[in-house]
């Protein structure tokens, strides 16, 4: 561009600005070169020190000298830290360990609290019938609590109804989970009462006591599978209007397992049998007095569901 087209004032300003920028670039370049020289010198000094230390280490190992001045200088006594500085240093070096230990402490505390605060049931009943009654857990718990004693002496009666309906024709994840739950409970003495029906697998009904008629000779509601709950008054108590008429309250035979002795199983059976008898006597008596008509809903027919595997 022709300088004659730029006013004198602007021209002088642009010229001074260009000169300043050039000086700044030269200064930055000089500083960069100086810094590079300093880094080079520091690197030479570091390499020289390392080489010197290597030589002194060789001398120490070979016994030529007894002590190295250069190495001793590097291991001067550490400065003692206090207060916030000391805590900061500890946290910097141990934060992951502290976090892990804190997690373990919190987990242990939660497990302990959960264990101590959890109410241990006085009676456990497992629902294995797959007919819709599993959706009446609260009503079933309230029903059984009428006949249960405060076994653990905690001042209140608590019954746990475990819902694990079984259907051998289904192999979905829920049924597999229910089967595992059922098998696990068989190993313990926690559960002796089961709610079954005519579709329950023979492998389930075979472990139930089938000679209850000897203990309840005059009770028409006792079958080889247990206490028939084909009563309108029971359906009303559990609020299941369309309950099938094949629901049965069964009690399992006490047998020793891998994890539970026969003695413990028998003790649990005797406690559960008291509840079973109270229910059987009370319901059958009320049904006779009220001339209970029974239930009209027929059970759902499941193909081969009550037959054993070949």
């Amino acid at each position: 561009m022709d300088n004659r087209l730029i006013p004198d004032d602007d021209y002088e300003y642009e010229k001074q600005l260009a000169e300043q920028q050039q000086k700044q670039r030269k200064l930055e370049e000089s500083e960069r070169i100086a810094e590079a020289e300093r880094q080079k010198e520091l690197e030479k000094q570091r390499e020289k020190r390392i080489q010197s230390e290597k030589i002194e280490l060789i001398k120490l190992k070979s016994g030529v000298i007894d002590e190295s001045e250069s190495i001793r200088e590097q291991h001067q006594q550490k400065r003692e830290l206090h207060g916030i500085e000391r805590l900061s240093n500890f946290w910097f070096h141990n934060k992951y360990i502290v976090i892990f230990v804190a997690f373990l402490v919190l987990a242990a505390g939660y497990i302990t609290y959960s264990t101590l605060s959890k109410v241990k049931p006085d009676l456990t009943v497992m629902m294995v019938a797959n007919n819709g009654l599993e959706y009446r857990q609260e009503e079933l718990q309230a029903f059984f609590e009428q006949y249960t004693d405060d076994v653990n002496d905690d001042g209140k009666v608590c019954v746990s109804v475990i819902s694990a309906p079984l259907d051998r024709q289904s192999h979905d994840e829920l049924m597999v989970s229910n089967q595992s739950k059922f098998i696990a409970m068989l190993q313990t003495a926690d559960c002796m009462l089961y709610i079954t029906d005519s579709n329950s697998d023979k492998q389930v009904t075979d472990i139930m006591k089938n000679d209850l008629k000897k203990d309840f000779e005059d009770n028409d509601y006792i079958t080889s599978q247990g206490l028939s709950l084909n009563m309108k008054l029971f359906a009303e108590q559990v609020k299941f209007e369309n309950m099938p008429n094949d629901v049965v309250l069964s009690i399992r035979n006490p047998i020793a397992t891998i994890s539970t002795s026969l003695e413990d199983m028998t003790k649990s059976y005797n406690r559960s049998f008291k509840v079973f008898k109270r229910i059987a006597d009370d319901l059958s008596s009320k049904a006779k007095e009220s001339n209970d008509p029974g239930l009209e809903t027929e059970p759902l027919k499941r193909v081969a569901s009550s037959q054993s595997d070949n």
Side-chain angles (χ1 to χ4, degrees):
M1 182 180 291
D2 193 345
N3 291 337
R4 290 175 299 177
L5 300 177
I6 303 175
D8 292 341
D9 292 343
D10 290 345
Y11 176 77
E12 288 298 327
Y13 173 75
E14 294 290 340
K15 182 179 179 182
Q16 290 176 6
L17 182 61
E19 290 176 352
Q20 289 177 0
Q21 290 177 346
Q22 187 175 8
K23 289 180 180 179
Q24 182 65 28
R25 285 195 294 270
K26 288 182 179 180
L27 180 60
E28 290 175 354
E29 181 65 18
S30 299
E31 290 178 351
R32 187 185 66 77
I33 294 173
E35 179 62 25
E37 292 294 329
R38 282 196 298 270
Q39 291 297 329
K40 188 182 295 185
E41 182 63 26
L42 289 173
E43 183 64 22
K44 288 181 179 180
Q45 292 177 5
R46 190 180 72 85
E47 291 178 357
K48 184 177 180 180
R49 186 178 67 254
I50 292 173
Q51 186 64 27
S52 176
E53 289 176 358
K54 287 182 178 179
I55 294 173
E56 289 193 0
L57 282 173
I58 294 172
K59 290 180 179 180
L60 282 170
K61 290 181 179 180
S62 61
V64 175
I65 59 176
D66 296 328
E67 188 177 2
S68 172
E69 290 293 332
S70 61
I71 296 177
R72 185 177 63 183
E73 289 174 358
Q74 292 180 34
H75 296 281
Q76 295 177 353
Q77 185 176 4
K78 293 183 179 179
R79 181 171 64 86
E80 188 174 353
L81 302 177
H82 300 279
I84 298 298
E85 193 177 15
R86 184 175 183 178
L87 290 174
S88 299
N89 183 66
F90 177 81
W91 172 254
F92 179 78
H93 290 94
N94 303 280
K95 55 187 174 184
Y96 295 112
I97 297 176
V98 171
I99 293 172
F100 179 70
V101 172
F103 171 78
L104 292 180
V105 171
L106 288 174
Y110 173 78
I111 293 171
T112 302
Y113 172 78
S114 178
T115 302
L116 294 176
S117 61
K118 185 177 180 180
V119 177
K120 185 177 181 180
D122 300 292
L123 178 73
T124 300
V125 182
M126 177 168 276
M127 158 67 69
V128 296
N130 186 22
N131 55 20
L133 191 56
E134 63 270 21
Y135 300 112
R136 302 294 190 279
Q137 274 185 281
E138 292 184 6
E139 290 81 2
L140 286 169
Q141 287 173 184
F143 169 79
F144 283 105
E145 285 172 358
Q146 301 176 70
Y147 305 94
T148 305
D149 297 322
D150 181 13
V151 178
N152 54 27
D153 296 323
D154 62 355
K156 53 187 174 181
V157 174
C158 177
V159 173
S160 173
V161 176
I162 300 175
S163 179
L166 300 177
D167 181 359
R168 63 185 299 224
Q169 300 304 307
S170 175
H171 302 285
D172 60 20
E173 293 182 2
L174 179 59
M175 287 301 164
V176 172
S177 174
N178 289 342
Q179 290 171 4
S180 301
K181 194 186 301 183
F182 173 75
I183 293 172
M185 292 302 294
L186 292 181
Q187 298 298 315
T188 73
D190 295 334
C191 181
M192 304 300 290
L193 294 178
Y194 292 78
I195 298 176
T196 60
D197 61 13
S198 61
N199 286 315
S200 294
D201 193 278
K202 190 173 186 296
Q203 293 178 344
V204 174
T205 58
D206 279 350
I207 66 173
M208 304 301 168
K209 189 172 178 63
N210 57 14
D211 58 351
L212 286 167
K213 200 65 180 175
K214 294 187 301 183
D215 300 302
F216 301 90
E217 294 180 357
D218 298 327
N219 193 323
D220 296 333
Y221 288 92
I222 294 295
T223 69
S224 61
Q225 195 171 333
L227 173 66
S228 172
L229 298 175
N230 181 16
M231 309 174 195
K232 187 176 181 180
L233 61 91
F234 176 79
E236 290 175 349
Q237 284 200 51
V238 297
K239 300 178 182 178
F240 191 11
E241 182 179 353
N242 297 320
M243 189 179 87
N245 57 21
D246 64 336
V247 179
V248 177
L249 177 62
S250 305
I251 184 168
R252 59 179 289 201
N253 286 304
I255 58 172
T257 63
I258 297 175
S259 60
T260 309
S261 66
L262 179 59
E263 181 182 3
D264 290 338
M265 282 287 190
T266 303
K267 288 180 181 178
S268 181
Y269 170 84
N270 291 336
R271 289 194 299 268
S272 299
F273 185 80
K274 288 181 181 179
V275 177
F276 182 91
K277 188 175 187 309
R278 290 171 185 169
I279 295 173
D281 292 344
D282 185 55
L283 288 186
S284 60
S285 175
K286 290 178 179 178
K288 282 186 178 180
E289 290 176 2
S290 62
N291 195 24
D292 193 292
L295 303 171
E296 297 180 357
T297 305
E298 293 295 324
L300 177 66
K301 297 299 180 183
R302 301 183 187 278
V303 179
S305 62
S306 59
Q307 299 177 359
S308 61
D309 293 328
N310 294 327

